[in-house]
Amino acid sequence: CQPCWREYLTTRIEQNMVVNCTCPISECRAQPTTAFICSILSSQEVIAKYEKALLRRYVECCSNLTWCTNPQGCDQILLKDGLGYGAACSKCSWISCFNCNFPEAHYPASCSHMSRMTCAKCNHGFCWRCLKPWRPNHKDYYNCSAMVSKAACQEKRFQDYNERCTFHHHAREFAIRLRNSISSIREMPKIRNLTFVIDACKVLEQARKVLAYSCVYSYYNQDTESMDIVEQQTESLELLTNAL
């Protein structure tokens, strides 16, 4: 009867288990269609949750689609165009990585360099190297006991790169706060156009981001022949960024 179906479907939707649900009769494996479900449900709020569940399932099934990974929250769907590792979200401008579960694009560090993994279903964060929870053991991006314990001689080098990386992440956060402050000042009357300062802050944010992930790249590729050039370019970028 309709009341039974309505209660059954509403419960499955609330529990996020409506996709591929079957008839409540245990011997029957028939699946209700979308048209049937919408004809049974009377609450627009429940119908909206059902449509979101369908959308999530569709995105998960499409290899060329992914959700924006902005940690502040964004419901935008991104298209993987095959032209690079990531793209800026048209809604929030956050740059996501298409090839791994790290929450943002991390050029020049490769995906294999990034240790943090996040479950897409429950948002549990853990380190894929040691499989321990990201918090409280992993207080920063690269504080992993499985990595630093490989050899005692690597510990000092790891700490040096880790400190540099953490510094650039903090400096990037400062640039973001600075840009937000300037944006607020722009709203005040009789203030000159400060667009060029905001643009400079955006460049500063991007530079700090590249410098932070350059530390990761350098840590893993120290023995390659091209590292002298990379280190020189990184040093040059750091000097110019500090000046900016």
Side-chain angles (χ1 to χ4, degrees):
C1 64
Q2 276 202 358
C4 293
W5 267 109
R6 185 176 299 113
E7 181 178 355
Y8 170 70
L9 292 174
T10 300
T11 301
R12 300 284 291 192
I13 292 172
E14 294 292 346
Q15 296 176 348
N16 197 27
M17 299 172 60
V18 66
V19 179
N20 293 333
C21 75
T22 59
C23 173
I25 301 299
S26 58
E27 306 87 52
C28 181
R29 309 307 302 168
Q31 293 182 337
T33 64
T34 298
F36 175 77
I37 292 176
C38 291
S39 68
I40 293 294
L41 299 175
S42 57
S43 171
Q44 292 300 316
E45 181 180 355
V46 176
I47 292 177
K49 290 182 179 180
Y50 171 65
E51 292 175 343
K52 287 183 178 179
L54 290 181
L55 181 61
R56 284 196 303 270
R57 180 58 181 269
Y58 178 75
V59 173
E60 291 171 0
C61 293
C62 294
S63 59
N64 65 329
L65 297 178
T66 187
W67 294 100
C68 175
T69 58
N70 190 333
Q72 301 300 321
C74 180
D75 58 357
Q76 189 76 352
I77 299 173
L78 305 180
L79 173 66
K80 304 177 184 179
D81 56 12
L83 299 177
Y85 287 102
C89 174
S90 60
K91 185 175 181 179
C92 69
S93 299
W94 183 264
I95 303 179
S96 305
C97 179
F98 289 160
N99 295 334
C100 72
N101 290 330
F102 198 72
E104 67 175 350
H106 43 75
Y107 179 85
S110 68
C111 295
S112 62
H113 294 160
M114 313 314 295
S115 300
R116 184 173 184 176
M117 303 290 284
T118 303
C119 176
K121 185 175 182 180
C122 67
N123 291 323
H124 171 66
F126 62 95
C127 174
W128 67 267
R129 292 179 179 274
C130 64
L131 300 182
K132 293 180 180 179
W134 197 255
R135 296 183 181 276
N137 295 330
H138 289 73
K139 296 181 181 179
D140 51 44
Y141 282 140
Y142 316 109
N143 181 23
C144 177
S145 58
M147 179 166 57
V148 299
S149 61
K150 288 182 179 180
C153 63
Q154 291 283 0
E155 184 173 354
K156 179 61 169 64
R157 177 168 167 264
F158 170 79
Q159 289 177 349
D160 291 341
Y161 279 105
N162 183 50
E163 289 175 1
R164 288 171 53 191
C165 181
T166 302
F167 167 79
H168 289 303
H169 276 300
H170 290 165
R172 179 187 175 194
E173 293 173 357
F174 166 78
I176 295 174
R177 292 195 300 270
L178 182 62
R179 174 166 58 86
N180 292 336
S181 298
I182 296 172
S183 299
S184 299
I185 295 175
R186 287 182 61 191
E187 304 301 324
M188 299 175 61
K190 299 182 180 179
I191 295 295
R192 294 177 56 189
N193 192 337
L194 297 176
T195 302
F196 71 100
V197 185
I198 295 179
D199 291 341
C201 288
K202 292 180 180 179
V203 173
L204 188 59
E205 293 171 33
Q206 182 65 19
R208 290 297 184 188
K209 178 180 177 181
V210 172
L211 285 170
Y213 293 123
S214 293
C215 295
V216 185
Y217 179 85
S218 298
Y219 175 78
Y220 283 98
N221 298 277
Q222 191 66 38
D223 298 329
T224 60
E225 297 179 356
S226 61
M227 280 312 301
D228 287 341
I229 298 177
V230 173
E231 292 286 0
Q232 291 175 6
Q233 292 178 335
T234 302
E235 182 178 355
S236 176
L237 175 60
E238 188 168 359
L239 289 174
L240 294 172
T241 302
N242 290 339
L244 178 60

